[in-house]
Amino acid sequence: MKLTILGCYAATPRTLTNPTSQVLEIKNRLFLIDCGEGTQVQLRKNKIKFSKINHIFISHLHGDHLYGLIGTISTFSLLGRTTDLHIYGPKGIKELILLQLKLTESWTTYNLFFHELESKESEVIFEDNRVIVKTIPLKHRVYTNGYLFQEKPGERKLNVEAAQHYNIHTAYYQKIKNGGNVTLDDGTVIENEKLSFDPIPAMSYAFCSDTVYNEDVIPIIENADVLYHESTFLESEAPLAQKTLHSTAKEAARIALKANVKHLVLGHYSTRYDGIERFKEEAEEVFSNVILGDDGLSFEF
Ligand SMILES: [Zn+2]
Ligand SMILES: [Zn+2]
């Protein structure tokens, strides 16, 4: 699983910082999460192929998470894309995009599918044979969802030596990988545990931006390998975080701790501060495994 942060600052794009957007590579799928202004430039800078993006997840209809979407959709057309593109986001996103395409008379060269969300409960919105994506309802000034990306457990690994020891025909190998036992010609049953190893553990990534401190997300994101949680403010601005329905770094860490995640990635920093090091320091007072997200950084998990 690889996470690339294209942008992780709040509000307006600036000389050296970009609004929210990130790319998650999971089980050979590439998901674009949020699409702030400048996302397509950041994709190019980070050498991410446009053609590999087939699914875009938008958390909410605030400009710093959205204003790059129409540009990205338009560029895909200019590049002659023909593959379907799926967009997941709050109800209204279809109207918002289609109006711009209509008035600019620039219909896409590919099929555009909108998956509009309005549920206040967590729901499965994408599933294939290797990955499942669920919403994480958040509390913000407008309707907002985070997203939980989960790998499905893979096949068990064949213990070739053991299989050969019992003289098991290769025709049974797939059955073993699927967890089945094998019955020998003399009727002896060989338990699957003797013939295979556990699969590589399935990983999960939770994206939570933007939101006020909200313990309701904990049961949904519990035990996730990686949590990206917005940390717009430092503790000195805690009342402002409460008022604008954002979180502080310390609050993000509290969620990470209570949800028992392995890693916490911080982001959505307010640009009022001179540097971002202090965000990590404050979060580490609560939770030890803190990663300071920043534009252009990639993390392998
Ligand atoms: Zn935002
Ligand atoms: Zn917002």
Side-chain angles (χ1 to χ4, degrees):
M1 197 168 77
K2 184 181 173 187
L3 176 69
T4 302
I5 310 275
L6 302 174
C8 66
Y9 288 79
T12 64
R14 297 162 94 225
T15 316
L16 297 173
T17 63
N18 298 275
T20 303
S21 186
Q22 46 184 254
V23 171
L24 180 71
E25 228 180 302
I26 180 169
K27 291 271 181 186
N28 274 327
R29 281 119 183 91
L30 206 72
F31 296 123
L32 181 65
I33 309 166
D34 276 345
C35 196
E37 202 177 332
T39 293
Q40 52 174 320
V41 179
Q42 284 297 92
L43 285 168
R44 286 197 190 276
K45 278 190 188 161
N46 288 278
K47 298 191 168 42
I48 291 160
K49 279 196 177 155
F50 289 4
S51 58
K52 288 187 84 181
I53 297 168
N54 298 325
H55 302 273
I56 302 177
F57 298 84
I58 301 293
S59 61
H60 65 301
L61 302 183
H62 274 161
D64 58 330
H65 300 253
L66 175 75
Y67 286 169
L69 186 57
I70 186 65
T72 302
I73 287 172
S74 162
T75 294
F76 284 1
S77 272
L78 292 172
L79 296 174
R81 180 188 176 106
T82 53
T83 319
D84 296 350
L85 181 68
H86 294 264
I87 294 171
Y88 307 77
K91 190 169 170 56
I93 195 167
K94 181 176 177 179
E95 186 188 348
L96 195 149
I97 293 299
L98 291 188
L99 180 67
Q100 294 175 87
L101 292 176
K102 186 180 141 198
L103 296 179
T104 55
E105 294 184 27
S106 50
W107 298 108
T108 55
T109 54
Y110 51 92
N111 291 323
L112 202 48
F113 294 96
F114 291 93
H115 305 263
E116 294 198 305
L117 310 171
E118 47 187 333
S119 174
K120 287 186 174 142
E121 307 288 327
S122 175
E123 57 180 343
V124 174
I125 53 164
F126 171 88
E127 183 169 13
D128 66 12
N129 56 339
R130 303 180 84 174
V131 179
I132 184 161
V133 185
K134 293 171 191 163
T135 56
I136 307 167
L138 300 175
K139 278 190 194 149
H140 191 43
R141 302 194 302 278
V142 294
Y143 176 74
T144 305
N145 283 298
Y147 296 103
L148 176 69
F149 301 81
Q150 293 173 302
E151 293 179 359
K152 288 187 176 173
E155 293 178 335
R156 296 184 65 77
K157 274 194 287 183
L158 181 73
N159 182 342
V160 182
E161 256 176 45
Q164 286 171 349
H165 169 78
Y166 289 108
N167 253 327
I168 292 170
H169 194 274
T170 53
Y172 289 101
Y173 284 7
Q174 190 57 47
K175 186 184 177 189
I176 296 169
K177 288 186 202 168
N178 293 342
N181 300 332
V182 175
T183 309
L184 303 180
D185 290 344
D186 66 0
T188 318
V189 176
I190 311 293
E191 301 285 329
N192 185 276
E193 293 75 65
K194 287 184 180 165
L195 300 168
S196 69
F197 303 109
D198 287 342
I200 302 162
M203 298 195 81
S204 58
Y205 172 63
F207 169 85
C208 292
S209 185
D210 302 355
T211 186
V212 72
Y213 178 82
N214 174 21
E215 294 191 356
D216 294 348
V217 304
I218 292 169
I220 305 168
I221 66 170
E222 209 159 25
N223 303 322
D225 293 278
V226 186
L227 165 67
Y228 172 91
H229 195 292
E230 75 125 288
S231 53
T232 306
F233 297 110
L234 293 173
E235 225 29 44
S236 45
E237 275 70 47
L240 188 59
Q242 191 68 36
K243 192 177 151 204
T244 56
L245 300 190
H246 281 297
S247 304
T248 65
K250 218 170 192 171
E251 287 170 334
R254 237 172 256 142
I255 294 290
L257 182 75
K258 291 192 176 188
N260 191 37
V261 303
K262 291 197 185 80
H263 305 270
L264 168 66
V265 181
L266 297 177
H268 201 270
Y269 313 113
S270 163
T271 50
R272 75 186 54 223
Y273 306 106
D274 283 337
I276 55 173
E277 208 42 55
R278 189 86 195 106
F279 284 85
K280 188 166 190 262
E281 290 165 16
E282 290 195 355
E284 276 175 343
E285 288 170 24
V286 176
F287 184 78
S288 55
N289 214 347
V290 179
I291 298 168
L292 207 49
D294 208 351
D295 300 4
L297 293 185
S298 280
F299 306 99
E300 294 259 11
F301 298 101

